[in-house]
Amino acid sequence: MKGVDAYPGYFSLNLDNDIKIEAMSTRRAGLERFTFPRGSKPVIGGGTLDINPENGRITIGDHYGSSFGPGSDHYQAFACYDLLNSGAQKLSEYGIWTGDT
């Protein structure tokens, strides 16, 4: 990792493969931005998702159970990725990987 920058409500870093990750937060929401190297074909995965190729938006969300100890604590996580840079880019292809053959 290189190029780490952090302060309350913001964190960014540049990975060794030149992908830049930025995470911003408020008390009730978070936003992530991924900047991929020019010419790369990014792959993003997660729970249930919806791909809208017209506006380049990918939404991911799911319900999760407690990850430690007993109990039935549940929470919902949601992410939204806008990939088209305000219309300056087009999706050349899209799809999902289901993990099976």
Side-chain angles (χ1 to χ4, degrees):
M1 292 185 298
K2 54 190 173 186
V4 176
D5 187 21
Y7 51 86
Y10 179 82
F11 176 79
S12 75
L13 66 93
N14 293 313
L15 300 175
D16 291 338
N17 59 4
D18 292 327
I19 295 173
K20 181 177 183 178
I21 300 172
E22 296 173 277
M24 285 91 21
S25 67
T26 67
R27 183 173 180 213
R28 296 181 186 247
L31 176 68
E32 297 174 345
R33 177 170 43 193
F34 300 89
T35 304
F36 296 91
R38 186 172 298 280
S40 67
K41 291 202 175 200
V43 177
I44 298 172
T48 59
L49 65 93
D50 178 60
I51 300 171
N52 184 324
E54 300 304 316
N55 66 14
R57 176 171 283 182
I58 298 173
T59 53
I60 301 171
D62 212 342
H63 291 83
Y64 301 92
S66 156
S67 61
F68 58 90
S72 60
D73 295 325
H74 289 51
Y75 62 95
Q76 182 177 9
F78 178 79
C80 178
Y81 303 102
D82 288 315
L83 304 174
L84 296 185
N85 191 21
S86 299
Q89 298 170 303
K90 301 292 180 204
L91 290 178
S92 62
E93 58 186 52
Y94 64 92
I96 61 170
W97 178 69
T98 61
D100 60 20
T101 56

